[in-house]
Amino acid sequence: MRWSAGWYGASRPDRLPRNGRPVPELGTAWTAGWPAKRVHTAGCGPLALTVVGDCGADDQQLARALEWVRAKDWRALTRWPGSYLTVARSGETLAVIGDLAGQHPVYWRMETAGTWWSTSAGALTALDGAPVAPVALAAHLALGQPDVLGQRSLFRTVRRVPTGHVLLIGPEQAAAVPYEPAEYQPVHLRDAAATVRAALAEAVAVRLDGRPVSADLAGLDSTALACLAARSGPVAAVTFADARLRDDDLAYAVRTAAAVPNLHHRTVPARPQCVYYAGLDDVSSLPATDAPNAYVVTASIKRAVLDAVAGQQARGVHFTGAAGDAVLSAPSSYLADLLRTRQYRRTFRHARTHARLRHTSAGTVLHRAHPASRTDLPGTWRQLAAVLRQAPREWVPQAQRPVAWTPLLATADWMSPDVRGQLANALDTAAGHSDGAPGLLAAWAGRQDLARLGADTAGWREMARAGHSTELAAPFLDNEVIRACLAVPAEERGAPDRYKPLLGAAFAGMGVLPDFVLSRVTKGGFNALAYAGLTRHAPVLADLLGASSRLVAAGLASQAPVAGMLARAAAGQPTAQGALHLAVAAEVWLRQREAVDARSWWQVRARAAA
């Protein structure tokens, strides 16, 4: 893994990151695995600034930014294009700032002599062998929103910096302090279009540094990135094609490549093993990550694409449209916000269109949204705590349950009563410490979706780098792209009468994307490959989540309901796919944790060893 770490204390630490490179002018700070050209520093002594990653600031901009460091204007240090970690020293205060989507997460742990910080929770855990925290893992499985338990990480002695917060370390204490507003000042879609277009163009441009370029060419999001990159030079565009998907991604890709100069298209044909859950009989072949990673379930599909990319270019950058759905559109749960703010006429108009698309009634859509409009985030968590103290629910598809600020997933109903009770207590505690929570469901849910997608994409990036020497670029997860898109109200981004209207407004008439792409209303899906994988690899999954399961041993899952879900899948019946996906990823992660060697993270200083 690539990671960064640092120490704040009166004495020098007794350990150093293995193969770590000191960060100039920051003293006890290091990067591991990062090339020197991705680490830039300005200033020295009590006023210093370092950025690690893909950052669009040049040396002069970093030097001028020292005034922001002096003024402790932390948010200003996160406004450059790209995705990066920021570390700044202002007098006795050290600020460590990750990004808004968890591409560069920040963790810390306090010791008697000082404070360690790192972008890897696993690295900090390796300092003393801290175990996994069962309640935090239960929250990950049952709720799927990273910030619900605030500063709790998945490990007992390690704290995490929540989304939109900066870690401030001083002589007396270390604390995570918010730097990003919980909600953005709303900007109408048409007014935001130019800002979104500029942010995306800059996010792509900052990665175009002479390396060979490739890109997914499938849906609207990846096509937009591929076309933006093609304005600067040749792009090897790849489309994963499988007859079982029954979508029109390939047809649009071929047509786009013919219309856009510099797009050189290649189809990635499906192989029999390109289904969900392939390769899970050997967890050592999967990349080790700091948290359970969703892409272990689809690793065979991702690798097929990366194989095609690596076959055409060496050590290049590959663009993916990951998180485009999260920022360019919005789920229909925003209807709860419209009801809350008494926009009844607009609510009914949107509900009626959503209902037509889903072949249901407007009344059913409104009935699902109504409960969430009558509560807030702390209230939702208290309600969930009460539900967890009761008997597990009968399974019904999540789409049939009421909309919620924090949905309770089917995985919660697979847990032991003791674990459910502990999670309920943690939710009650979180509800009492939720000051600064957003007032709109869409604002909260959107940030949580991005934090989850960012963590998963970071794992995919490790897969691409380790197995294919390819850098994965996900511009929709960049700070400035997120800010530009999420400033547009959810009801405008997710309006049901037009598919991804924000992308259309940003690029219509600009000559970047062909008109037929912007007018597209279809979207591919992988359900067929998910069910094929569930059927084909049912024995492996039954073994993985069976008697030897680490989740079962910890009370985080039970064999009977998991076996029931696998049986439903084999019979072609509706299945809790999302819950199985989470459980499998967590089980793989726990098994990988058993093989972690602390010596792979740290080395003892020669003087300390003596």
Side-chain angles (χ1 to χ4, degrees):
M1 286 179 61
R2 282 182 178 170
W3 56 292
S4 304
W7 166 260
Y8 187 109
S11 60
R12 295 187 67 80
D14 62 354
R15 275 167 284 194
L16 302 174
R18 186 168 295 280
N19 301 321
R21 180 186 290 116
V23 175
E25 310 304 339
L26 279 182
T28 50
W30 304 265
T31 61
W34 281 101
K37 62 183 179 180
R38 295 283 182 266
V39 183
H40 298 278
T41 299
C44 61
L47 200 65
L49 168 66
T50 292
V51 291
V52 182
D54 291 313
C55 180
D58 59 27
D59 291 342
Q60 290 184 344
Q61 289 173 305
L62 289 177
R64 289 195 298 269
L66 290 172
E67 286 305 311
W68 295 334
V69 177
R70 190 190 309 275
K72 299 182 179 179
D73 185 356
W74 311 125
R75 188 171 190 261
L77 303 175
T78 69
R79 302 301 303 263
W80 296 300
S83 178
Y84 48 89
L85 172 77
T86 306
V87 187
R89 182 191 291 117
S90 183
E92 291 189 315
T93 300
L94 183 74
V96 187
I97 317 170
D99 66 308
L100 295 176
Q103 299 288 278
H104 302 271
V106 179
Y107 304 92
W108 87 100
R109 56 175 293 162
M110 299 183 70
E111 298 184 355
T112 304
T115 301
W116 279 106
W117 65 264
S118 178
T119 56
S120 169
L124 296 184
T125 300
L127 288 168
D128 67 353
V132 172
V135 174
L137 186 54
H140 171 87
L141 287 166
L143 310 172
Q145 293 183 338
D147 289 335
V148 172
L149 297 191
Q151 297 181 18
R152 286 198 191 190
S153 81
L154 293 177
F155 302 97
R156 283 185 180 165
T157 61
V158 178
R159 300 182 187 180
R160 66 179 288 272
V161 177
T163 305
H165 286 58
V166 53
L167 174 63
L168 297 180
I169 311 176
E172 303 299 327
Q173 65 173 355
V177 178
Y179 71 84
E180 192 76 2
E183 299 176 46
Y184 295 121
Q185 191 69 28
V187 180
H188 287 302
L189 186 145
R190 288 188 178 278
D191 297 331
T195 305
V196 170
R197 181 172 62 251
L200 270 176
E202 290 175 341
V204 170
V206 78
R207 274 98 172 178
L208 303 179
D209 55 3
R211 293 174 291 180
V213 179
S214 61
D216 292 333
L217 190 62
L220 273 177
D221 312 331
S222 60
T223 300
L225 300 179
C227 291
L228 281 168
R231 299 172 75 194
S232 300
V235 175
V238 293
T239 305
F240 177 77
D242 190 311
R244 290 169 294 185
L245 296 179
R246 296 182 182 178
D247 60 26
D248 51 4
D249 280 356
L250 182 57
Y252 272 95
V254 170
R255 191 177 173 190
T256 302
V260 178
N262 288 329
L263 279 184
H264 305 288
H265 184 243
R266 179 179 178 181
T267 301
V268 181
R271 300 191 291 250
Q273 65 269 33
C274 287
V275 293
Y276 281 37
Y277 307 105
L280 295 182
D281 50 344
D282 180 15
V283 299
S284 65
S285 67
L286 298 165
T289 54
D290 263 350
N293 190 271
Y295 286 113
V296 303
V297 173
T298 56
S300 64
I301 300 171
K302 299 303 180 188
R303 282 172 173 158
V305 174
L306 292 171
D307 285 343
V309 168
Q312 297 182 68
Q313 59 186 36
R315 300 189 178 279
V317 57
H318 181 76
F319 286 92
T320 171
D325 287 343
V327 296
L328 294 174
S329 57
S332 60
S333 55
Y334 71 79
L335 293 171
D337 291 328
L338 293 182
L339 285 172
R340 179 192 309 280
T341 52
R342 300 182 179 182
Q343 300 180 57
Y344 299 128
R345 181 173 297 179
R346 194 177 194 182
T347 304
F348 183 73
R349 187 172 67 251
H350 280 235
R352 190 167 50 194
T353 309
H354 278 295
R356 251 195 327 265
L357 292 173
R358 289 162 176 75
H359 307 290
T360 186
S361 68
T364 298
V365 172
L366 292 171
H367 182 71
R368 288 191 65 232
H370 185 260
S373 72
R374 307 286 293 182
T375 187
D376 56 9
L377 190 60
T380 297
W381 290 346
R382 293 188 181 97
Q383 291 172 2
L384 292 182
V387 171
L388 285 167
R389 292 187 177 103
Q390 300 169 6
R393 308 162 299 176
E394 290 291 327
W395 180 76
V396 297
Q398 199 69 33
Q400 295 178 18
R401 294 193 182 278
V403 167
W405 288 71
T406 298
L408 190 64
L409 307 178
T411 33
D413 300 307
W414 302 349
M415 296 175 181
S416 70
D418 179 57
V419 170
R420 287 166 63 90
Q422 292 182 50
L423 181 55
N425 294 339
L427 282 169
D428 279 335
T429 300
H433 296 84
S434 56
D435 296 339
L440 294 177
L441 183 157
W444 164 259
R447 292 283 183 84
Q448 296 311 297
D449 284 348
L450 285 169
R452 175 177 49 79
L453 288 166
D456 286 336
T457 303
W460 181 8
R461 182 173 290 109
E462 290 299 327
M463 184 193 307
R465 187 184 303 121
H468 299 81
S469 299
T470 298
E471 291 288 341
L472 192 72
F476 287 109
L477 290 167
D478 286 7
N479 286 353
E480 287 301 276
V481 175
I482 290 172
R483 288 171 173 138
C485 293
L486 295 193
V488 179
E491 64 270 20
E492 294 187 34
R493 286 182 285 121
D497 55 350
R498 187 179 171 194
Y499 186 51
K500 294 191 177 173
L502 181 54
L503 194 67
F507 288 101
M510 293 292 113
V512 178
L513 279 79
D515 290 342
F516 64 82
V517 171
L518 291 175
S519 61
R520 183 180 177 183
V521 296
T522 56
K523 176 180 174 58
F526 282 78
N527 273 352
L529 300 188
Y531 273 98
L534 280 169
T535 302
R536 181 177 304 175
H537 299 292
V540 174
L541 296 179
D543 179 66
L544 198 66
L545 298 173
S548 62
S549 166
R550 279 59 168 175
L551 289 177
V552 171
L556 293 163
S558 303
Q559 286 183 255
V562 172
M565 281 298 162
L566 292 176
R568 290 180 64 90
Q573 296 177 329
T575 307
Q577 286 189 42
L580 281 172
H581 208 126
L582 278 169
V584 169
E587 181 67 30
V588 168
W589 180 72
L590 287 173
R591 295 187 184 214
Q592 288 178 319
R593 293 295 311 164
E594 296 171 355
V596 170
D597 184 350
R599 292 171 297 182
S600 65
W601 293 101
W602 302 94
Q603 61 188 33
V604 179
R605 291 171 62 94
R607 182 175 178 181

